[in-house]
Amino acid sequence: VVYLVVFHLSFVMFVWSYWKTIFTSPASPSNEFCLSKADKEQYEKEERPESQQEILRRAAKDLPIYTTTASRAIRYCDRCQLIKPDRCHHCSACDICVLKMDHHCPWVNNCVGFSNYKFFLLFLMYSLLYCLFVAATVLQYFIKFWTNELPDTHAKFHVLFLFFVAAMFFISILSLFSYHCWLVGKNRSTIETFRAPTFRNGPDKNGFSLGCSKNLREVFGDEKKYWLLPIFTSLGDGCNFPTRLVIMDPEQLTVSSQNEPAKSSGANQPFPTRPLSESQNRLLASDSQWVESGPEEENVKSGSLHRNTSDDS
């Protein structure tokens, strides 16, 4: 009876998570990131990249954008004709910009991003449990097969095939699930692992990391009772993300003994200075600053932490 309950429960959760991962539409940037009609016409008329960037900087001055391209340019999608929020990327398969895009998964024929990343993780977890359950229940018959204790019937081939398929899928899914658990703990996407987001002080692969506990809550939400259910509970709107990155004045970066906050860099500063208020994100309400242990975070311990709102590219 216990086996049947576990089997049906894992199968139902597996199918539910898989369904939600497939049929949840990827979230796209809101209209505030689209250029106005006048700016769009002016942008298309300009031929010099410098002039186009000036138009984009002017349009993005009130947007919660904290990352740029590697060449320090405003991230703009010519295909969708919008300024990309932080952690947002254009998917060539879906032909849309996807908020906090992780990757396009051919197994679910959908983009994995802000809107369905939790569902994707649960799909991997329940797939893992389902394969483990199948392999464990067939193991005793598999052992009997090798010891010649299994009756000579056609079931021999079925037992052998079922055990190896379940074991192979378990090993492959385990590696993928472990990798994404590591990504959640670091608050990174797969894209950010291969190409770190560029902030004012340069690329920082841990720029959006708030500490393991808060990183987990950002994906699964505050209510732990909903963590194992494939219902959307992620914090934020996909366009705005807090960051622990300290934006320091370039001269202050060379002085390790000072603990002063960042200063403004001038009118040409492409990064908005508007911080994310506590009322906008619950993750900011409990602590005055983010702390993440490890040698990678030593570069942020010398300043007060700056909170932002954004997605990546």
Side-chain angles (χ1 to χ4, degrees):
V1 176
V2 176
Y3 278 156
L4 289 177
V5 172
V6 174
F7 174 80
H8 285 96
L9 182 61
S10 61
F11 181 75
V12 169
M13 298 303 291
F14 162 74
V15 173
W16 188 7
S17 302
Y18 187 51
W19 179 275
K20 293 286 286 186
T21 305
I22 293 176
F23 293 103
T24 299
S25 300
S28 298
S30 57
N31 292 332
E32 65 175 328
F33 292 91
C34 297
L35 293 180
S36 64
K37 185 177 180 180
D39 287 338
K40 188 181 299 184
E41 292 177 353
Q42 187 177 0
Y43 179 86
E44 294 174 350
K45 290 179 181 178
E46 291 290 347
E47 297 181 356
R48 295 187 307 149
E50 295 82 3
S51 300
Q52 290 180 332
Q53 276 298 304
E54 186 60 33
I55 296 172
L56 295 180
R57 284 194 179 94
R58 186 171 62 249
K61 70 181 188 306
D62 293 326
L63 295 177
I65 297 175
Y66 290 82
T67 60
T68 64
T69 65
S71 60
R72 303 292 181 163
I74 297 295
R75 300 171 56 247
Y76 180 75
C77 179
D78 291 303
R79 185 78 176 179
C80 298
Q81 296 185 324
L82 55 80
I83 296 173
K84 295 180 183 178
D86 293 342
R87 316 187 82 178
C88 175
H89 298 270
H90 184 87
C91 176
S92 57
C94 298
D95 198 26
I96 58 172
C97 283
V98 179
L99 296 179
K100 196 186 176 184
M101 179 178 174
D102 188 88
H103 68 286
H104 183 89
C105 182
W107 295 99
V108 299
N109 192 31
N110 197 6
C111 265
V112 176
F114 175 76
S115 61
N116 62 351
Y117 189 58
K118 176 190 174 183
F119 307 147
F120 178 74
L121 290 173
L122 293 179
F123 160 64
L124 293 179
M125 186 185 73
Y126 288 120
S127 300
L128 194 65
L129 293 177
Y130 189 61
C131 291
L132 179 63
F133 177 81
V134 172
T137 52
V138 177
L139 180 61
Q140 57 177 323
Y141 301 102
F142 181 76
I143 295 175
K144 290 181 179 180
F145 169 79
W146 286 106
T147 56
N148 293 322
E149 296 180 12
L150 195 69
D152 187 18
T153 63
H154 294 293
K156 283 187 175 182
F157 174 76
H158 297 161
V159 168
L160 189 66
F161 177 79
L162 185 59
F163 179 80
F164 274 112
V165 169
M168 289 173 59
F169 271 96
F170 174 81
I171 294 173
S172 60
I173 295 175
L174 178 62
S175 61
L176 182 60
F177 180 67
S178 301
Y179 173 68
H180 279 280
C181 287
W182 178 79
L183 290 179
V184 171
K186 294 293 184 179
N187 203 344
R188 302 178 198 168
S189 65
T190 300
I191 296 176
E192 290 168 351
T193 302
F194 293 98
R195 185 173 67 246
T198 302
F199 296 86
R200 173 184 170 186
N201 295 327
D204 188 340
K205 59 185 178 181
N206 293 313
F208 292 104
S209 182
L210 312 176
C212 186
S213 176
K214 295 181 178 67
N215 294 340
L216 187 66
R217 287 166 53 196
E218 190 170 305
V219 174
F220 289 93
D222 291 326
E223 299 290 337
K224 293 184 179 180
K225 60 184 177 181
Y226 298 124
W227 281 12
L228 298 181
L229 298 177
I231 56 179
F232 185 81
T233 55
S234 301
L235 299 182
D237 59 1
C239 294
N240 306 297
F241 292 90
T243 173
R244 65 164 184 81
L245 185 67
V246 180
I247 300 184
M248 297 288 292
D249 182 70
E251 295 181 358
Q252 296 294 329
L253 292 176
T254 60
V255 183
S256 59
S257 61
Q258 295 185 0
N259 294 320
E260 296 179 358
K263 299 180 181 179
S264 174
S265 63
N268 293 328
Q269 160 73 353
F271 297 87
T273 57
R274 182 180 62 185
L276 185 66
S277 66
E278 294 183 1
S279 62
Q280 290 175 288
N281 194 298
R282 285 169 290 172
L283 286 173
L284 299 178
S286 57
D287 298 284
S288 59
Q289 64 181 30
W290 301 118
V291 178
E292 180 166 349
S293 60
E296 297 175 334
E297 288 72 42
E298 292 180 357
N299 64 321
V300 302
K301 292 182 180 179
S302 61
S304 62
L305 293 178
H306 183 78
R307 285 80 168 263
N308 105 12
T309 34
S310 296
D311 250 308
D312 164 287
S313 150

